Amino acid sequence: MRTPVRFLPAICLLLLSVQSAMSKTAQHQTQHGPITVEDIAEFNRPWGMAFVTPSSALVTERIGSLWLVNIKTGKKVKVSKPPRAQVEGQGGLLDVALHPDFKNNGWVYFTLARQVKGGSGTAVVRAKLTGLNSEEPTLTDHQLLYQVKPSSASHHFGSRIAFAPDGTFYVTFGDHGERPRAQDTSNASGSVIRLLADGANPADNPAFAPTSGSARDGLWSIGHRNPQGAAIHPLTGKLWTVEHGARGGDEINRPEAGKNYGWPTISYGKHYTGGKIGKGSAADGMEQPVYYWDPSIAPSGLAFYSGTLFPHWQNSLFVGALKHKKLIRLTVIGGEVTGEEILLENAYGRIRDVSSGPNGALWLLTDFSKGKLLRISPTK
């Protein structure tokens, strides 16, 4: 049960959250002291970010553009030849991640909605970034690594990328608005997949029983609705995800090999009509979430904090919220969520992505036509 918010006197609110038009900074209070939020750069519907150097990051825009931004000055340079995305509904150019050996091989990985015969579906593409230190950065050598079976729907694409310590990477896929797909192993909709860096199926991936035709290569776990956050725990190296429920039932999960996370057979939410989902909240052979929200927060973006600027935040799990327009910090101990702190509620709008970045700062992207790249650091 949450502690009721006590509204501070107006003068205190001004002191805690005073924004300067000149500096584009604001201060906010947390359980462990004040933080400063800086407005670094503006984008059109930003979706994902990846830090290339200690002073630069790639930022995707759902409308199909890719930018290289100086995170110290806010200067942006448009990257040429990004993967071509189908921009419709919730689809477009989505997540971006770097190969662990990016410095030497230049590989950048993307998820996107891709138009194919029969509709569109989430795809995984990689390309090489050249001209990083020039005014004309460009992507070359595009390779399609994975494609989900197309759908006529234009929502629930997912998706996030997370590289594991062993060099494989995970990708989360939504059910594309067709609920039974999440239990159908012949496609990857509503699943987490695990691939080698070149897109091949790892030999130690789990073997799923086919439900209609042969099971798809790459499957790691099934029964997910629309996971838009993925992060690797800095101590255990294990994958954590966050996914949208329907009307309630947003979930934090720790997807494990070969397991079924229930959608749409079980859920802690209800259909938008108010009707019961499947069998209720539990069923044999289906996993329970680590944590869930009811009512929904509409989560997007997930990151473990691994910096040094915030000692009290070490290994905390941060979740962006679209619906309730806030940032959530979850205390994680021994693989369990033991506490929740609400940050920045209604201060910056819909938070689309969260990342623990260079020099110990925490970074956010907000989901608007004039969305922001925000840096969070301790108030000096």
Side-chain angles (χ1 to χ4, degrees):
M1 184 176 185
R2 291 178 187 159
T3 303
V5 176
R6 297 186 181 278
F7 292 95
L8 299 174
I11 186 67
C12 293
L13 285 177
L14 287 172
L15 290 173
L16 291 175
S17 185
V18 178
Q19 185 157 4
S20 165
M22 295 290 291
S23 63
K24 295 184 179 180
T25 65
Q27 285 76 50
H28 301 268
Q29 191 56 265
T30 76
Q31 290 178 0
H32 298 292
I35 58 173
T36 296
V37 181
E38 300 171 81
D39 179 347
I40 302 299
E42 184 175 284
F43 301 90
N44 188 348
R45 298 289 176 186
W47 217 94
M49 57 182 147
F51 295 96
V52 182
T53 71
S55 61
S56 64
L58 291 169
V59 175
T60 62
E61 292 179 329
R62 192 175 58 79
I63 60 169
S65 300
L66 178 67
W67 296 87
L68 182 65
V69 56
N70 185 310
I71 61 175
K72 295 181 178 180
T73 66
K75 179 183 176 181
K76 301 186 303 181
V77 178
K78 201 165 191 177
V79 180
S80 299
K81 299 181 180 179
R84 183 176 295 178
Q86 175 72 8
V87 182
E88 181 182 9
Q90 296 174 358
L93 185 58
L94 304 174
D95 204 19
V96 57
L98 305 183
H99 188 284
D101 195 28
F102 167 81
K103 186 176 180 180
N104 292 315
N105 62 31
W107 285 117
V108 183
Y109 292 71
F110 300 91
T111 59
L112 60 146
R114 182 171 178 265
Q115 184 71 38
V116 292
K117 185 178 180 180
S120 60
T122 311
V124 183
V125 172
R126 73 172 181 174
K128 287 194 173 183
L129 180 62
T130 63
L132 178 60
N133 298 316
S134 72
E135 290 298 314
E136 297 181 356
T138 303
L139 289 171
T140 64
D141 300 329
H142 291 65
Q143 297 178 5
L144 175 64
L145 302 185
Y146 205 91
Q147 173 73 60
V148 170
K149 182 180 177 181
S151 167
S152 60
S154 60
H155 58 287
H156 291 193
F157 292 92
S159 64
R160 294 288 176 185
I161 304 167
F163 271 91
D166 64 2
T168 62
F169 69 100
Y170 300 96
V171 187
T172 66
F173 291 138
D175 66 5
H176 289 79
E178 298 179 11
R179 294 189 293 270
R181 285 185 172 215
Q183 294 294 322
D184 181 358
T185 60
S186 69
N187 72 82
S189 298
S191 75
V192 174
I193 66 165
R194 175 177 176 257
L195 301 173
L196 298 176
D198 63 358
N201 183 42
D204 60 345
N205 261 4
F208 280 89
T211 50
S212 61
S214 300
R216 275 295 300 266
D217 283 347
L219 290 181
W220 178 256
S221 62
I222 65 171
H224 302 279
R225 184 173 182 268
N226 189 24
Q228 291 189 350
I232 301 296
H233 194 293
L235 298 181
T236 67
K238 301 298 184 181
L239 175 69
W240 290 57
T241 62
V242 67
E243 64 185 79
H244 291 261
R247 187 173 162 185
D250 299 337
E251 295 183 358
I252 297 281
N253 285 301
R254 288 184 289 127
E256 296 182 5
K259 293 191 175 180
N260 185 339
Y261 290 81
W263 178 259
T265 306
I266 62 173
S267 173
Y268 280 92
K270 297 180 179 179
H271 289 300
Y272 293 116
T273 59
K276 179 182 176 181
I277 293 175
K279 297 180 179 180
S281 60
D284 290 343
M286 295 183 173
E287 304 302 311
Q288 288 291 299
V290 174
Y291 195 75
Y292 70 91
W293 289 272
D294 188 13
S296 293
I297 62 166
S300 184
L302 190 72
F304 282 99
Y305 179 73
S306 57
T308 58
L309 289 182
F310 297 98
H312 293 289
W313 287 0
Q314 273 290 327
N315 304 317
S316 289
L317 186 60
F318 286 86
V319 185
L322 299 166
K323 180 180 177 181
H324 287 177
K325 303 175 182 179
K326 59 192 175 186
L327 178 66
I328 296 172
R329 183 180 71 85
L330 298 176
T331 302
V332 176
I333 299 176
E336 302 295 330
V337 174
T338 61
E340 176 178 326
E341 179 183 8
I342 306 301
L343 305 170
L344 310 181
E345 190 163 18
N346 294 317
Y348 298 95
R350 292 163 52 89
I351 295 177
R352 172 60 71 184
D353 198 15
V354 189
S355 183
S356 181
N359 306 314
L362 190 70
W363 295 80
L364 308 178
L365 289 174
T366 63
D367 182 44
F368 297 100
S369 58
K370 293 184 178 181
K372 304 295 185 180
L373 173 64
L374 304 173
R375 176 171 55 207
I376 300 176
S377 55
T379 299
K380 297 179 180 179

